[in-house]
Amino acid sequence: MDKMMTVGSSGTQTGTPQKTVGQYLFDCLKLEGITEIFGVAGDYNFTLLDTLERYNGIRFISGRNELNSGYAADGYARIKGISALITTFGVGELSACNAIAGANSEHVPIIHIVGAPPDKDQKEHKLMHHTLMDGNFDVFRKMYEHIAVYTAVLTPENAKIEIPAAIRISKEKKKPVYLVVADDLVTKPITARKEPMSTRPMSNLKTLQAAADHVRQLLERAHRPAILVDAKTMRFGLQTAVRQLADAMNVPVVTMIFGKGAFDETHQNYIGMYLGSFGSSEVQSTVENADCIIAVGVVWADTNTANFIAKLNPLMTVNIQPDMVKVAEAEYPNVLAEDMLRAVQKVGYKGKGLAGKLSFPYDQVTASADEPLMAAGYYPRFQRMLKESDIVIAESGTFYNGMAEVRLPSNVTYIGQGGWGSIGYATPSAFGASIAAPERRVLLFTGDGSLQLTAQEISSMLYYGCKPIIFVLNNDGYTIEKYLNVKTEDQKYNQIPRWSYTKMAEAFGGNAFTVTVRTYGELDQAITQAEKERAERLCIIEMIAGNPMDAPEYMRRMRSYMEKQEMQRSQK
């Protein structure tokens, strides 16, 4: 690269080489702790990838397709706080749309970087490959405006402003952003510009005080308060503040299904998962009879509230969101969650803790060794095998619903895509998590139907030396979909081809420990063996379901509720 003569602040000329757009971009990502970038090579991102290959401190992790790389970036961001993805123009970025929309829905910050056709060709509106053949090079960025929280076209003139702005917005909003750069501008030196000073968001102190006073009034009258923890507690890094509040208040704490893993489930005040009437009746009565609920980061979505049947009395609820608070019917904008949690702690409410010892749904390991595998028997075994600091990834579907009530040890990172619920998410996400934390044990729980959507990423795991333990529940098709459709039975569209899941590693040219199990005895043996093998290689345990329509209790209750609803509709 040519050295540029730049003028220093004193007006003297210095011979320091000016950074290129690409180098500056990677400098900014490295500052955020990003040490890997996911993606797929394509001719319009070659200069980005060439720059990255010569760059120290960040390596490129190539996926088998852009969708999977997007999911991997999502899993990585959930471990490390933020991630990056590089795709090519048009064909690549559109393949990644589903993953980026999912990251938006789930509050996951991803910096999506797109390599575009040369700037000169764009300005002349030439008909280039990977386009709609209409000379319009802005159409895909405009599409991304709807699923990313910020988009920008990078140039040497604006790079020092747009790149830090995009990263800041992604971190603040916990959502994906989109940066597109022409491949011939990546190696151009950036124009030195003073970056605008960004101010950190702060609470409006008067509003914060008013909200705290309102909470004090509620708590002064309360005899049975409870704390309800959900997804945004994890996404916005509020776990420590919530734990401190729970320690101080000494009241029951529950989590919602999207917020699984947001609160330490070994904590003395944790009583379980609030699943409306589909879950534990003790938890349900604690929440629904509480006379003040401190709800942190709650997402009031259908699959998070047991089809909206979860009942919280709004007049008794303190709804703490990342940048606003609602106490009963009163809204308090511009109040940051962390400040509000501290303010609630200062109110000084002291509860009596929990009455009596609690039991959790999977505490007892039952069923004899030669019985076929059923949910009631294998979830307790999963609970028993989990260790502190594990990373647990549960696929949308049967496993997501069943793992919800498995009690996690301390410091477990739990990953699931409850809101977006894109089937196939979990396998590439587990790949991303394995890359993010190679020193931690990664456990992937996926179904046969889900795995068939994104199985290629097992090849990436083998290629990059990742060693997760993968449980594949073979229940002969899309069991979750069969449960959700209460109008018909034996749908052909919920059947899938039968794959030899244990032969996949061999087909992908890798070495893995693989086993198929049909009974609890075989599962116990496989788990013991996998715990030894995982130090050296990836493990795949295929579990043949004793009954294809077997499911955890939560799913069965949900189906029976939906059947009743359907009967009522058909009688009208």
Side-chain angles (χ1 to χ4, degrees):
M1 191 187 76
D2 294 334
K3 285 197 170 185
M4 282 197 63
M5 301 301 282
T6 57
V7 179
S9 55
S10 60
T12 57
Q13 290 193 323
T14 58
T16 53
Q18 181 65 292
K19 296 268 184 186
T20 65
V21 173
Q23 288 167 333
Y24 178 70
L25 171 63
F26 298 136
D27 282 349
C28 291
L29 297 178
K30 192 168 156 185
L31 276 174
E32 299 303 327
I34 290 172
T35 48
E36 288 83 14
I37 298 178
F38 296 88
V40 176
D43 56 350
Y44 294 139
N45 64 30
F46 286 166
T47 48
L48 276 165
L49 298 185
D50 287 340
T51 304
L52 186 53
E53 283 210 343
R54 291 191 292 269
Y55 187 87
N56 284 329
I58 304 180
R59 63 178 177 146
F60 183 61
I61 304 290
S62 175
R64 312 285 52 83
N65 62 51
E66 289 86 358
L67 171 65
N68 291 355
S69 290
Y71 288 150
D74 182 304
Y76 182 98
R78 292 186 195 221
I79 305 292
K80 291 191 83 164
I82 193 165
S83 67
L85 170 72
I86 294 177
T87 64
T88 196
F89 192 77
V91 293
E93 59 184 313
L94 294 191
S95 289
C97 272
N98 183 18
I100 296 298
N104 187 321
S105 172
E106 300 265 326
H107 282 90
V108 179
I110 298 175
I111 314 298
H112 184 181
I113 303 146
V114 176
D119 187 52
K120 185 173 175 293
D121 295 332
Q122 290 192 46
K123 284 180 173 147
E124 291 173 14
H125 299 288
K126 284 186 177 171
L127 301 189
M128 305 293 289
H129 64 282
H130 298 341
T131 73
L132 301 179
M133 296 298 151
D134 59 358
N136 181 353
F137 294 91
D138 200 37
V139 61
F140 307 127
R141 185 198 63 79
K142 282 185 173 158
M143 289 180 182
Y144 264 88
E145 281 182 346
H146 300 281
I147 55 172
V149 73
Y150 187 78
T151 71
V153 180
L154 297 182
T155 65
E157 293 74 33
N158 72 11
K160 282 203 85 167
I161 292 170
E162 289 292 5
I163 294 168
I167 292 171
R168 189 189 78 248
I169 291 165
S170 186
K171 284 166 65 182
E172 274 177 20
K173 306 276 187 198
K174 308 295 178 196
K175 292 202 173 212
V177 294
Y178 171 99
L179 299 172
V180 59
V181 58
D183 70 339
D184 58 339
L185 298 184
V186 173
T187 52
K188 293 277 191 291
I190 54 173
T191 307
R193 282 199 176 193
K194 189 122 180 80
E195 294 166 43
M197 286 296 291
S198 63
T199 52
R200 285 190 63 203
M202 289 173 67
S203 294
N204 179 313
L205 295 180
K206 280 187 178 170
T207 318
L208 173 64
Q209 188 59 54
D213 291 344
H214 196 161
V215 173
R216 180 178 277 106
Q217 289 168 22
L218 279 185
L219 284 174
E220 277 170 357
R221 296 196 296 268
H223 301 286
R224 298 180 307 279
I227 297 171
L228 181 65
V229 186
D230 199 19
K232 291 186 202 171
T233 302
M234 274 188 286
R235 300 289 176 271
F236 288 83
L238 301 169
Q239 294 101 312
T240 304
V242 169
R243 188 187 174 117
Q244 286 167 350
L245 179 64
D247 289 342
M249 287 184 70
N250 194 24
V251 298
V253 181
V254 301
T255 46
M256 293 177 78
I257 196 165
F258 284 12
K260 174 78 176 169
F263 190 81
D264 180 359
E265 297 185 4
T266 64
H267 193 281
Q268 61 186 22
N269 291 69
Y270 181 72
I271 64 167
M273 181 71 58
Y274 176 49
L275 302 164
S277 58
F278 301 165
S280 150
S281 54
E282 284 174 37
V283 174
Q284 184 188 6
S285 79
T286 302
V287 173
E288 294 177 9
N289 295 326
D291 49 11
C292 179
I293 291 269
I294 312 290
V296 190
V298 171
V299 179
W300 205 255
D302 55 353
T303 45
N304 201 28
T305 57
N307 287 25
F308 299 117
I309 62 169
K311 292 180 180 67
L312 294 190
N313 180 345
L315 298 176
M316 306 281 187
T317 303
V318 179
N319 179 0
I320 301 174
Q321 292 294 339
D323 58 0
M324 66 82 68
V325 177
K326 190 173 181 188
V327 184
E329 298 291 284
E331 282 197 25
Y332 298 93
N334 305 318
V335 172
L336 298 184
E338 203 150 350
D339 295 335
M340 190 63 204
L341 289 164
R342 266 197 299 271
V344 176
Q345 199 178 321
K346 282 183 188 152
V347 167
Y349 185 93
K350 266 272 179 256
K352 298 184 183 68
L354 307 183
K357 190 164 167 16
L358 275 172
S359 64
F360 289 81
Y362 300 131
D363 282 353
Q364 301 302 315
V365 177
T366 52
S368 60
D370 54 355
E371 285 182 55
L373 296 173
M374 304 290 267
Y378 56 73
Y379 284 111
R381 285 168 163 83
F382 294 152
Q383 181 169 304
R384 188 174 59 181
M385 86 171 284
L386 294 182
K387 295 182 169 73
E388 278 197 22
S389 301
D390 278 348
I391 297 171
V392 174
I393 297 110
E395 180 59 88
S396 306
T398 312
F399 265 144
Y400 182 78
N401 291 293
M403 291 302 289
E405 294 193 271
V406 166
R407 194 179 187 188
L408 304 175
S410 298
N411 299 318
V412 166
T413 302
Y414 184 87
I415 296 176
Q417 211 192 35
W420 186 243
S422 186
I423 288 180
Y425 162 82
T427 300
S429 179
F431 169 48
S434 300
I435 294 288
E439 73 291 351
R440 292 173 68 184
R441 189 171 77 154
V442 174
L443 301 155
L444 165 63
F445 296 89
T446 186
D448 52 345
S450 302
L451 183 56
Q452 289 195 11
L453 272 84
T454 51
Q456 310 94 317
E457 251 30 55
I458 289 178
S459 163
S460 302
M461 292 176 190
L462 292 162
Y463 182 75
Y464 286 101
C466 305
K467 303 179 189 79
I469 300 175
I470 301 172
F471 291 90
V472 182
L473 179 61
N474 187 338
N475 48 15
D476 204 20
Y478 296 121
T479 299
I480 184 71
E481 308 289 3
K482 293 172 191 171
Y483 262 74
L484 294 174
N485 186 347
V486 291
K487 295 177 185 177
T488 60
E489 285 182 21
D490 301 323
Q491 310 97 359
K492 282 204 169 53
Y493 50 78
N494 280 325
Q495 295 166 5
I496 59 169
R498 291 194 175 178
W499 286 12
S500 302
Y501 298 100
T502 52
K503 292 183 183 157
M504 286 170 77
E506 188 190 339
F508 289 139
N511 173 26
F513 164 69
T514 64
V515 61
T516 299
V517 298
R518 288 180 164 78
T519 66
Y520 296 116
E522 290 171 355
L523 177 61
D524 290 339
Q525 260 180 319
I527 288 172
T528 305
Q529 189 65 24
E531 287 178 330
K532 291 191 193 106
E533 297 274 355
R534 65 161 286 274
E536 299 300 323
R537 52 187 182 156
L538 180 145
C539 302
I540 298 173
I541 300 173
E542 179 188 13
M543 299 166 53
I544 307 294
N547 171 1
M549 283 302 281
D550 175 50
E553 185 63 29
Y554 171 62
M555 265 173 69
R556 291 210 290 271
R557 289 184 184 179
M558 177 172 69
R559 181 171 169 91
S560 119
Y561 170 79
M562 289 165 70
E563 282 172 341
K564 281 182 197 142
Q565 278 196 317
E566 185 55 33
M567 276 176 67
Q568 285 167 2
R569 270 198 291 270
S570 57
Q571 283 164 5
K572 280 179 183 171

